[in-house]
Amino acid sequence: MMDENKQVNNTSQQLGEPIEVKQAMKSDSPAEINSNESGSEVTEQMAAQTNVPAEPALTEENGVAAAEQTEVNTAALAELTQQNESLKAQFEERSTQYMRIAADFENYRKRISKEKEETEMQVKRNTIMELLPVVDNFERARAHLKPQTDGEMTIHKSYQGVYKQLVDCLKRLGVSPMRPEGQEFDPNLHEAVMRQPTDEHPEGTILEELVRGYYLGERILRHAMVKVAAPKEDTPSEPEDESNQDND
């Protein structure tokens, strides 16, 4: 009996049983036998917990499921990439359309602005052209009328005041007169209505401005009507033999 107890004790020490289990195994009573049985159950439970693996091994079904999940993820990624490329293409197309529309609008704005300026200039030009004959009449009156009495001088000063006021208004509108006397004739600025033969001035020199020309800003409002110098023609002399024949 002692030998059996020693053998049980050695086995308990190897399995790491508690001391109470060892003491219970020393007794031959039924209680001791029950304690023996409970100690064996504890020993088996501890051994089972020790032998439990940390992670279960992958089965064939788990591998197939993982492969299917990877395939699904790859397909989803490819679809997202395609959608991204499509959105990029749409964005570039919309950007090009926006730039084209912006350029068209800028050209439209410039064209409208230019047309507005042209319209305003045309209206101003037409209005001033209606007033220029009045200015011409004032200038002719100043050149031809020579006041002699005090009453005539009073009238002369009155209409000269109106003439000066009209000229000042034209200046504020951007009208300036041409001064072509002594200049070379330019068909872009002048209109030759008379030619005067002379040897005092080179051919094509403007001798006199008959109707004054005007500028509107940098544009020609009205061409000047001028008298232009022409070469003087020499009078041909009669041959001596013809004169001698007449004398005979």
Side-chain angles (χ1 to χ4, degrees):
M1 186 67 180
M2 293 295 293
D3 293 335
E4 291 178 359
N5 289 334
K6 289 180 181 181
Q7 187 176 358
V8 171
N9 289 333
N10 292 334
T11 304
S12 299
Q13 290 177 0
Q14 291 176 359
L15 296 176
E17 292 180 353
I19 299 174
E20 290 81 359
V21 175
K22 294 179 183 180
Q23 292 176 356
M25 291 178 66
K26 294 179 181 179
S27 176
D28 292 337
S29 63
E32 292 177 355
I33 293 172
N34 292 334
S35 299
N36 255 347
E37 291 177 357
S38 60
S40 299
E41 292 176 357
V42 171
T43 303
E44 291 176 358
Q45 290 177 1
M46 293 176 62
Q49 292 177 359
T50 305
N51 295 328
V52 172
E55 294 181 358
L58 292 176
T59 62
E60 184 178 355
E61 295 179 354
N62 291 336
V64 173
E68 292 178 353
Q69 184 65 30
T70 303
E71 185 177 354
V72 170
N73 293 337
T74 303
L77 180 60
E79 183 178 359
L80 291 175
T81 303
Q82 185 178 1
Q83 291 179 0
N84 188 24
E85 295 296 331
S86 176
L87 291 175
K88 284 183 179 180
Q90 292 179 8
F91 175 76
E92 292 178 357
E93 183 180 359
R94 296 296 186 274
S95 298
T96 303
Q97 291 178 356
Y98 170 77
M99 294 176 64
R100 187 181 300 111
I101 292 173
D104 292 341
F105 178 77
E106 183 65 19
N107 294 334
Y108 170 78
R109 187 186 65 80
K110 290 181 180 179
R111 185 174 66 255
I112 292 300
S113 178
K114 185 176 180 180
E115 290 177 356
K116 181 180 179 181
E117 292 177 0
E118 291 288 342
T119 302
E120 292 177 354
M121 182 63 68
Q122 187 65 29
V123 171
K124 184 187 294 186
R125 181 179 181 278
N126 293 339
T127 303
I128 295 172
M129 287 293 292
E130 294 293 330
L131 296 176
L132 289 183
V134 180
V135 178
D136 295 338
N137 291 332
F138 272 110
E139 291 178 349
R140 293 190 186 98
R142 185 178 63 176
H144 293 89
L145 295 178
K146 304 296 181 183
Q148 301 294 330
T149 63
D150 293 339
E152 292 177 352
M153 183 59 68
T154 302
I155 296 173
H156 179 74
K157 289 181 179 179
S158 297
Y159 77 76
Q160 286 298 317
V162 177
Y163 168 73
K164 184 178 183 300
Q165 184 178 5
L166 180 59
V167 170
D168 291 339
C169 291
L170 294 176
K171 287 181 179 179
R172 286 193 295 270
L173 293 174
V175 179
S176 58
M178 295 182 184
R179 304 294 182 184
E181 291 88 349
Q183 299 179 3
E184 185 178 359
F185 176 78
D186 185 354
N188 297 319
L189 303 175
H190 313 126
E191 182 179 353
V193 295
M194 292 182 64
R195 290 173 60 88
Q196 179 177 341
T198 180
D199 55 359
E200 297 180 359
H201 301 279
E203 182 182 2
T205 303
I206 297 175
L207 301 178
E208 183 182 356
E209 183 183 36
L210 303 177
V211 177
R212 179 163 294 175
Y214 291 93
Y215 295 104
L216 180 57
E218 297 180 354
R219 301 183 180 184
I220 299 173
L221 180 62
R222 187 177 72 178
H223 292 76
M225 297 183 181
V226 297
K227 182 192 294 185
V228 183
K232 189 174 183 180
E233 297 179 357
D234 297 331
T235 304
S237 59
E238 296 181 356
E240 294 182 358
D241 52 0
E242 292 181 1
S243 61
N244 292 332
Q245 290 177 1
D246 293 338
N247 293 330
D248 292 341

